Amino acid sequence: MRNLFILVVVAGTALLSGCAADVAFHAYKAVDAASSTQFRVANKDGIDLDFELEKAWAMPFVKREIGFASNSKCEYSGVLVPWDRTWEIVQNMGDSGTQQVTPPNPGVMAGHAALIYERKCQGQAAEEMMYAGEMPTGRAYLGRKFNGAPFVPDHHNASTQDMFRYSEAQRPLWFQQVVDRLIRLSPTSPDAKKVVAESKDILIKLYPEKAAAIDAALK
């Protein structure tokens, strides 16, 4: 029902223009905020990324709270990992019965995933978690490195979902890919190794078949 409501808002937005479209867009954003758990990078200056696909950036995140102010005393640990589209996209073209197929585009960065794997609240033991979602990025043309590299402004939010609530078939197509990337990078990337070491137990709960690979990567 939640996803159906979001689709109705998006469809309605496509039919509107001007102020009405703006209202619909903000309505969609409100639904998105209410139906997902949103995180932003904790660094007030944002985070500079680069063009590398085989990369990981471990960092603290801040949870977006609904309301005028947040009284949260919790800190969140997470990571940004690039992903590439290794699957085709099939689109139905109206009522004609024809389909448009976009082939996979491996090796080309398609976006960045945010994985939030630990919560630490004041006076409480650390809690494992695994929330994941796409992190919107900007391009550093003005005011940063002037090289067009992706970066994450501090006001961009990743709309995440609890991966334990979904089967593998229901999770984002990039999710297992970025987990595999973290494991593969661990022997050479301090950031990836930190994330895999700290989230080892929860990764194995999600993917028991990867336990041997995780242990080998952390040696």
Side-chain angles (χ1 to χ4, degrees):
M1 181 63 70
R2 178 187 67 197
N3 291 338
L4 176 60
F5 181 54
I6 293 175
L7 287 173
V8 169
V9 174
V10 173
T13 303
L15 299 175
L16 300 173
S17 62
C19 294
D22 290 340
V23 171
F25 173 75
H26 288 296
Y28 165 74
K29 295 299 288 183
V31 171
D32 182 44
S35 61
S36 64
T37 303
Q38 300 197 339
F39 293 93
R40 59 179 175 82
V41 298
N43 188 338
K44 64 181 180 63
D45 294 323
I47 298 294
D48 288 306
L49 307 176
D50 56 38
F51 296 104
E52 289 187 52
L53 184 60
E54 294 296 308
K55 196 73 175 282
W57 292 267
M59 66 188 69
F61 284 79
V62 175
K63 182 181 177 183
R64 180 186 179 191
E65 302 288 351
I66 303 298
F68 294 103
S70 171
N71 295 319
S72 175
K73 301 298 183 182
C74 299
E75 299 177 352
Y76 296 85
S77 297
V79 62
L80 289 177
V81 188
W83 59 273
D84 56 328
R85 187 169 54 77
T86 56
W87 55 89
E88 66 180 17
I89 299 174
V90 179
Q91 294 176 298
N92 294 318
M93 307 304 290
D95 298 326
S96 64
T98 60
Q99 292 183 327
Q100 176 178 307
V101 179
T102 304
N105 197 17
V108 177
M109 187 186 300
H112 290 80
L115 276 59
I116 316 299
Y117 62 85
E118 186 180 68
R119 173 172 54 202
K120 293 180 181 178
C121 299
Q122 196 173 69
Q124 301 178 28
E127 179 182 351
E128 293 179 332
M129 58 191 294
M130 183 53 75
Y131 279 63
E134 292 187 51
M135 176 61 79
T137 60
R139 290 288 179 175
Y141 289 116
L142 296 173
R144 295 185 78 90
K145 292 185 176 180
F146 296 93
N147 61 358
F151 76 100
V152 180
D154 70 318
H155 60 276
H156 279 196
N157 294 300
S159 299
T160 70
Q161 301 289 342
D162 182 355
M163 293 297 99
F164 279 98
R165 293 181 56 190
Y166 301 96
S167 67
E168 179 59 29
Q170 295 171 319
R171 292 170 188 155
L173 293 173
W174 44 256
F175 180 68
Q176 185 169 178
Q177 179 195 127
V178 299
V179 170
D180 288 339
R181 179 161 285 124
L182 284 168
I183 296 170
R184 185 169 62 250
L185 287 173
S186 290
T188 57
S189 166
D191 279 26
K193 188 169 188 176
K194 174 182 184 295
V195 172
V196 172
E198 292 178 350
S199 63
K200 174 183 174 180
D201 292 344
I202 203 163
L203 290 177
I204 291 175
K205 288 177 184 177
L206 283 165
Y207 296 110
E209 70 278 10
K210 299 184 189 297
I214 290 172
D215 285 336
L218 295 177
K219 287 182 178 178

